Amino acid sequence: KTVSKYGAEKIEDIKIVRLNKNLPPFSFLGYVFLNNNIYDTGKSEQILAHEKVHIEQFHTIDLLIAHAITILQWFNPFVWFLQKAIKTNHEYLADSKVVSNG
């Protein structure tokens, strides 16, 4: 629904949805969702590079699987820690790749 509401533009094989909401940037499947205020600053290239790594490494799939496990095992405290560890690892991987690429 969000994609159809705001539309998407394609830049370097990334579909970007520019939002009028004050949300942090995030990616889901092949889309990157950016706040218009962030997009208009000079930080957009770094953010796009970071989010592109998430897309290329299919981090959305990992998170969907982790959420499904959490739904089934909501009573198990280990799965909550696992879900957080996966998110933290994804951020590290994306940041590491962006820094190594300059």
Side-chain angles (χ1 to χ4, degrees), residues 22-90:
N22 192 17
L23 295 171
F26 65 96
S27 58
F28 186 79
L29 298 175
Y31 292 92
V32 174
F33 297 85
L34 290 176
N35 179 333
N36 271 332
N37 296 332
I38 292 173
Y39 191 81
D40 293 334
T41 66
K43 297 179 182 180
S44 62
E45 287 182 28
Q46 293 171 337
I47 293 169
L48 286 176
H50 176 93
E51 296 301 329
K52 186 176 181 180
V53 174
H54 286 306
I55 292 169
E56 289 171 348
Q57 295 183 359
F58 303 104
H59 290 171
T60 301
I61 304 302
D62 294 345
L63 290 176
L64 289 174
I65 292 169
H67 283 293
I69 292 169
T70 304
I71 289 169
L72 297 173
Q73 292 285 313
W74 60 269
F75 53 86
N76 184 348
F78 175 74
V79 297
W80 294 96
F81 292 120
L82 177 66
Q83 187 179 76
K84 184 168 175 86
I86 289 171
K87 289 178 184 178
T88 302
N89 190 44
H90 284 169

